[in-house]
Amino acid sequence: MAKEYNIGIDIGGTNIKIALVDTKGKIAFSESASTRAEMGYEFTIKNIINLIKDSLTKSEVSIEQIGGIGVGCPGQIDSENGIVRALPNIPGWVNVPLAKILMDEFGLPTKIDNDVRVATLGEYKFGAGKGYQNIICITVGTGIGSGIIINGQLVRGTNMAAGELGHVIVQEHNGEICGCGNTGCVEAVASGPAIVKQAELYLMTGKSTKFKELAAGSPITPEIVAEAAILGDGVALRIFERTGYWIGIALSSVVNLLNPEVIIIGGGVAQAGDILFDPIRETINKRALKISADSVKVISAQLGNSAGVVGASLLTQV
Ligand SMILES: [Zn+2]
């Protein structure tokens, strides 16, 4: 029987998403379940197995029609050996041979990789990166991550740790403390939590700000600050200008180093659109070498929340 579909799975801290994706990148069926990280990895894996069986039953697709299974995981992955080394936000996952477990269960080729790299693959084949061969795909959310495709190939690095854009140092002296233990990383000054921190600081100092009104007593989120900026609030705009500036500084080095055709930006904070993208573009234009800056486009990701499952479905196909 022809292999019409591949299974793509996206493991997140809150939800596991699964999709049957056809060879043109179209999602034929999708479903999700709660990760229940607190129950341990065995429970999550059992859930994944049940989700796969369930999806096949509900979609009336037989296992013979499936080419392979791909899984994107939020952490350090040994993609060559199919082992989850560690997931910083999902405790208990240490050296778990996830690919082998799924392969033994279903008898299908199975590959796993880091979630940002998987999303990059999705954007490259079926999203904003279609038609390009040299791509940097970055996600700006709780952290800042990136996937790199050079000459049509994913770059993983010696220890499969390449693409840690969030820990590119942008402040040499007196930098903010980063979750990695270093100081001055771009993630410490330009991620979702950094935006919230700045907003709260403005509130504490009594600056009149729109986001206080928009939050209406709830905690401030990056989305609220973005909404305020779009409504023209000066303080919120300044926060996004600064955020875009720092990301632009980090990307200027990336542009000089790798000379990409496009930089694709996705993730929760990127929903803010041009209020974030414009200062990023401006900074790259000012600070990167002219030859590389002139040719690089900074564009928005296209696949949104589906990038993870669509990209994962491609893992056994590349
Ligand atoms: Zn760091």
Side-chain angles (χ1 to χ4, degrees), residues 28-201:
F29 179 86
S30 67
E31 197 163 35
S32 69
S34 163
T35 308
R36 307 277 310 270
E38 76 284 359
M39 302 288 283
Y41 76 86
E42 291 98 336
F43 181 89
T44 306
I45 292 177
K46 231 167 101 191
N47 254 345
I48 292 172
I49 291 172
N50 288 335
L51 264 178
I52 295 174
K53 289 179 177 168
D54 225 43
S55 303
L56 292 173
T57 311
K58 285 184 183 159
S59 62
E60 296 178 7
V61 167
S62 76
I63 199 139
E64 286 78 29
Q65 289 169 274
I66 304 291
I69 302 173
V71 189
C73 314
Q76 294 166 24
I77 311 302
D78 175 351
S79 55
E80 213 164 287
N81 297 301
I83 294 167
V84 177
R85 282 198 194 124
L87 306 182
N89 298 315
I90 313 182
W93 286 75
V94 179
N95 296 325
V96 178
L98 179 61
K100 186 179 183 310
I101 294 170
L102 296 178
M103 213 154 16
D104 288 350
E105 181 73 35
F106 296 100
L108 289 168
T110 304
K111 288 225 166 131
I112 67 173
D113 211 329
N114 163 274
D115 58 351
V116 181
R117 224 168 271 153
V118 158
T120 302
L121 202 55
E123 292 290 346
Y124 168 59
K125 285 278 184 188
F126 298 122
K130 228 169 125 180
Y132 297 106
Q133 294 300 304
N134 298 299
I135 293 172
I136 311 294
C137 190
I138 83 167
T139 55
V140 189
T142 311
I144 296 179
S146 79
I148 304 164
I149 288 180
I150 297 292
N151 296 332
Q153 295 291 316
L154 262 179
V155 175
R156 293 189 168 93
T158 308
N159 299 309
M160 299 183 199
E164 290 286 0
L165 179 71
H167 305 288
V168 165
I169 297 163
V170 291
Q171 295 174 315
E172 193 192 354
H173 300 292
N174 305 316
E176 293 280 327
I177 295 169
C178 178
C180 73
N182 206 340
T183 57
C185 299
V186 65
E187 184 171 301
V189 287
S191 57
I195 289 172
V196 170
K197 204 169 144 192
Q198 292 173 64
E200 282 168 347
L201 209 67

Side-chain angles (χ1 to χ4, degrees), residues 177-259:
I177 295 169
C178 178
C180 73
N182 206 340
T183 57
C185 299
V186 65
E187 184 171 301
V189 287
S191 57
I195 289 172
V196 170
K197 204 169 144 192
Q198 292 173 64
E200 282 168 347
L201 209 67
Y202 274 119
L203 276 182
M204 259 164 43
T205 54
K207 295 267 186 335
S208 143
T209 48
K210 190 89 189 152
F211 38 79
K212 188 178 182 183
E213 184 191 313
L214 291 169
S218 303
I220 290 170
T221 62
E223 290 76 24
I224 288 173
V225 183
E227 205 185 326
I230 289 162
L231 289 170
D233 180 77
V235 169
L237 273 168
R238 212 171 311 148
I239 292 174
F240 268 92
E241 253 162 48
R242 207 176 296 144
T243 302
Y245 167 76
W246 286 124
I247 295 173
I249 289 287
L251 285 174
S252 294
S253 296
V254 174
V255 166
N256 286 346
L257 197 66
L258 299 173
N259 186 205

